[in-house]
Amino acid sequence: MDAECGIRDMFDFGTIFPSLMALGATFSGELAYKMGYVIGKEARAIGMTMASNPVLDINNNPDNPIINTRAISDNTDHVIRLAAEYIKGIQKAGIIPNGKHFPGHGDTNTDSHITMPVISYGKDFLMNRELKPYAELIKKGMLGVMTAHILYPSLLGEGEGNVPATLSRHIITDLLRHELGFKGLIVSDSLAMKGIRNIYGIERSAVLAVKAGH
């Protein structure tokens, strides 16, 4: 489940937390840890063992219609610092957090719930911005990653065509597993989102996502 601002995202009970942008504005690692820990404790209390947060996207596109206040900051290092504490807290509470939306949904001007966004930057640039939170937080022990229905042409392998990151074995297995060294849980964003469903259908997407490495 999504619990970016607590289990109240999905239910009519539980603690209401501010957006991650508001958390970012505090510049407090202590508050980030406490927010992650309490969300984790409440999620465990209702039987959950996994949550689709935190958002690790860099809020660097003012025209982004879907991330904006869900992101911690437009500064990559600030995202990493607070997300690291949030992740420590939620994992301490016994929840696997899925950092999302890999490889990054911050610099898009379209919503993957509706259509498939395209990010055209080169790999070297992405490694220092969109991908940097994953590289650093994997080293710090983050247990889960959620992948995005976004086209990243520079990260695709030869012969893969124009598939979203979700369905690319080169991105999910070669980049995330092997190059970044991630050994944890990999789940996809919802396959019912139009950005992937309208092109591949849910059944085909499910098979291709597993073959890619989820």
Side-chain angles (χ1 to χ4, degrees), residues 7 9 29 49 57 59 65 80 103 108 123 154 168 187 202:
I7 63 173
D9 285 1
T49 56
D57 300 321
N59 191 33
I80 293 168
T108 68
K123 183 179 178 181
S154 69
S168 165
V187 298
I202 293 175

Side-chain angles (χ1 to χ4, degrees), residues 81-147:
R81 188 176 73 85
L82 290 196
E85 295 303 313
Y86 180 108
I87 289 166
K88 284 181 188 175
I90 199 169
Q91 291 185 173
K92 178 70 174 177
I95 292 290
I96 295 175
N98 292 316
K100 64 184 184 185
H101 306 79
F102 181 86
H105 202 329
D107 202 356
T108 68
N109 57 13
T110 54
D111 178 358
S112 57
H113 291 87
I114 300 169
T115 188
M116 189 193 301
V118 180
I119 294 182
S120 300
Y121 297 114
K123 183 179 178 181
D124 289 344
F125 179 87
L126 294 169
M127 289 296 290
N128 286 307
R129 196 171 70 169
E130 267 70 23
L131 291 169
K132 189 175 179 181
Y134 297 94
E136 295 299 322
L137 294 169
I138 285 168
K139 295 174 186 175
K140 295 178 183 294
M142 178 170 65
L143 294 175
V145 167
M146 174 181 281
T147 62

